[in-house]
Amino acid sequence: MDDKYKFVEFLGLRFNVANDLSVLVSAILVFILVFALSRKVTMRPGKAQNVLEWMIDFTNSIVKSAMPDGSGKQFNLYAFVLFLFIFVSNQLGLFFQVKVGGFTYVKSPTSNPLITMGLATVSLLISHYYAVKKFGFGGYLSNYARPVKFLLPINLLEEFTNFLTLSLRLYGNIFAGEVLLALIGTVAKSLGAVTFVAAMPLAMVWQGFSVFIGAIQAYVFTTLSMVYISRKLEQE
């Protein structure tokens, strides 16, 4: 895509305004969604509370599948927030984009590799932190030489590949979806009313498919995050 972005300097750091605003909008939308669904929590739940409880049960099941011994309960909230944030972020650019003066200000934040790498970094840092907390620093380091010492380089390389696959899988799928939608939009405008009418059904179908892909990618990212955490908490 030929999007242009505004950048601002602060304390010697360079920030992409579109990334910052898009992440902020996604976070606000997640907060509004959860707040709206949880306003009237009762013993006999209504429709809104049922939806919220279903989402919580869904993300809890992701954690439980990765850590069936019950040790993963402390990660239930993280999985819930992570899934909702990524899901909303994946859909944002499909329905709501802000472009002013040729510059993009709001889009799907997960269509930028820096955002997905940041999310992957958070998940992997959590896995390392809890591994050190459980085994101590010495025990944590010794895990890289298990089950045999000559696997140390491979285990270290695996940490890097986990980071890349976790982040770039999400980025690639969301970015490709937005690129294809942009191409369909370009085709729709190319020859006037004829191509516009012909491209509209295709755009609607692809947009619906992109919503499905966005949901799947949120599930995959959350699941892999829990798997990586569970593997760090296991002794080889």
Side-chain angles (χ1 to χ4, degrees):
M1 291 186 294
D2 57 351
D3 292 345
K4 294 190 296 182
Y5 303 105
K6 284 280 190 180
F7 292 88
V8 295
E9 298 271 349
F10 181 70
L11 297 178
L13 299 176
R14 195 164 180 253
F15 295 90
N16 184 323
V17 175
N19 286 347
D20 297 338
L21 285 179
S22 299
V23 167
L24 181 61
V25 170
S26 295
I28 291 173
L29 289 175
V30 170
F31 174 80
I32 292 173
L33 173 64
V34 175
F35 180 77
L37 294 177
S38 61
R39 285 191 65 189
K40 297 180 180 180
V41 177
T42 61
M43 292 299 294
R44 298 184 64 180
K47 293 181 180 179
Q49 188 177 333
N50 277 327
V51 171
L52 179 61
E53 290 181 1
W54 177 84
M55 291 191 297
I56 293 172
D57 288 340
F58 176 72
T59 54
N60 285 354
S61 69
I62 295 175
V63 178
K64 190 174 181 180
S65 65
M67 291 167 267
D69 59 354
S71 62
K73 290 183 178 180
Q74 58 189 323
F75 304 111
N76 284 345
L77 180 60
Y78 175 65
F80 175 70
V81 174
L82 182 66
F83 177 84
L84 279 186
F85 177 78
I86 294 176
F87 175 77
V88 171
S89 296
N90 291 348
Q91 315 303 335
L92 185 62
L94 297 175
F95 303 101
F96 181 68
Q97 290 192 17
V98 176
K99 294 186 178 182
V100 179
F103 291 96
T104 299
Y105 287 95
V106 176
K107 61 185 181 64
S108 290
T110 44
S111 65
N112 187 292
L114 295 179
I115 301 301
T116 59
M117 286 181 179
L119 291 170
T121 299
V122 171
S123 289
L124 295 178
L125 284 178
I126 288 175
S127 71
H128 292 298
Y129 169 78
Y130 279 95
V132 172
K133 184 178 179 180
K134 181 175 182 179
F135 300 115
F137 193 68
Y140 160 76
L141 291 178
S142 68
N143 275 338
Y144 285 101
R146 297 176 186 273
V148 288
K149 292 183 179 179
F150 71 79
L151 289 179
L152 175 62
I154 296 176
N155 290 333
L156 290 175
L157 179 62
E158 186 181 24
E159 295 297 329
F160 180 68
T161 57
N162 286 344
F163 168 74
L164 287 182
T165 55
L166 188 61
S167 58
L168 296 185
R169 179 189 292 107
L170 177 59
Y171 156 69
N173 279 276
I174 305 307
F175 179 75
E178 291 199 352
V179 167
L180 190 51
L181 275 177
L183 289 175
I184 293 173
T186 302
V187 170
K189 300 174 185 176
S190 60
L191 297 175
V194 176
T195 52
F196 180 81
V197 172
M200 280 301 294
L202 180 60
M204 293 175 65
V205 170
W206 182 254
Q207 196 161 20
F209 183 68
S210 295
V211 171
F212 173 73
I213 292 297
I216 292 296
Q217 289 305 312
Y219 171 76
V220 169
F221 193 99
T222 306
T223 300
L224 288 178
S225 294
M226 295 303 108
V227 169
Y228 293 153
I229 292 173
S230 70
R231 289 178 61 186
K232 286 296 180 185
L233 298 179
E234 295 175 355
Q235 190 82 41
E236 293 285 350

